[in-house]
Amino acid sequence: MSSAASAPPVCVLGLGLIGGSLLRAAVATGREAWGYNRSVPAVDAAVADGFDASTDLTASLRRAAASDALVVIAVPMPAVGSILEAVAEHAPQVALTDVVSVKAEVAAAVEAHGLSRRFVGGHPMAGTAESGWPAGTADLFRDAVWVVTVDDDTDPDVWRQVADLALDCGSVVVPAESREHDAAVARVSHLPHLLAEALALAGAGGGDLALGLAAGSFRDGTRVAATAPALVDAMCEGNADALLAALDETLEVLRNSREHLADGSTSDLTRAGHAARTRYEQRQRHPIVGTQPGDDGWIDAFREAGRRGGVWTR
């Protein structure tokens, strides 16, 4: 863990499940940290729990600028533009990251506001079906993968700051280019949300008897359908191109499976699916060695390492 005395303060903009958990986790590391949220009840709840929080975005950003804090954007994609506008006005020189579930669209918005020079994207692969400040916990990121982006011209010093925060929160840091990240999470995060919604509809279509008989496979398969629809919409719509490609591929798998089932067999799907799940369970990670942020060629090296299961361990 990095020294709290030397680590920069953290300013979290947005105190929902992820932002609220991040504020808690940052404070737990011993860092100075404060948060902003436009909702008065969320801020009141955070303050009541002993955290430094405010509804004053301008003051929060000016404080970040004065203390050279790492600013973390933790709002849904539709609200990112207004936050960036405020950052550009009140704290344009701060080190900047985010925890939004899509990366290319955030990076484009950051560039449009002239803030790319000190921006490094982030995405902790963590969450629950609950939302809001009360759902947060300082342990949410423990052992979770936290993507830290390595796009062209990434500032190595800011990259280290973002990676250090993720590591301090207990996460596993995986480097990835923004568009590669979006293509990957379309398959393993956003598509599962759509499939969970469809499965929930299929179960409900069977009426009270079907729902009364539902057990573990239905419960686990529909867990994320309990997420607030607006949050799911923001994730999926913000990554529409990559998600459409993954969805089309999956629909083709299901169409083929239907044809095979009509002929009396499901074995092609079950064997291939079992093999894919086994590959997931047996995946291995290895530390990135031999290259440091800022070395010649480090961005390409980190991208390739992330593709192959490499993680940054400081």
Side-chain angles (χ1 to χ4, degrees), residues 91-241:
Q93 301 303 318
V94 295
L96 185 65
T97 187
D98 73 298
V99 289
V100 182
S101 65
V102 294
K103 299 273 62 78
E105 188 173 3
V106 172
V110 169
E111 183 177 8
H113 286 83
L115 297 168
S116 294
R117 187 178 66 83
R118 302 205 71 206
F119 172 75
V120 173
H123 180 203
M125 302 295 294
T128 71
E130 305 300 321
S131 60
W133 172 265
T137 169
D139 294 327
L140 183 66
F141 311 111
R142 184 71 51 189
D143 298 324
V145 167
W146 193 313
V147 174
V148 181
T149 61
V150 278
D151 294 333
D152 294 342
D153 300 321
T154 293
D155 184 310
D157 293 330
V158 178
W159 196 93
R160 282 184 181 273
Q161 286 190 44
V162 177
D164 283 348
L165 175 61
L167 291 170
D168 286 351
C169 291
S171 293
V172 177
V173 171
V174 174
E177 190 270 339
S178 287
R179 293 194 180 278
E180 286 189 280
H181 162 278
D182 290 354
V185 297
R187 294 174 175 273
V188 298
S189 178
H190 304 160
L191 179 63
H193 273 278
L194 294 187
L195 296 178
E197 311 288 0
L199 181 58
L201 285 171
D208 290 341
L209 176 60
L211 294 177
L213 297 177
S217 58
F218 182 80
R219 180 192 64 241
D220 295 343
T222 61
R223 179 184 63 82
V224 295
T227 306
L231 296 179
V232 179
D233 292 343
M235 286 190 296
C236 294
E237 293 169 7
N239 198 23
D241 290 345

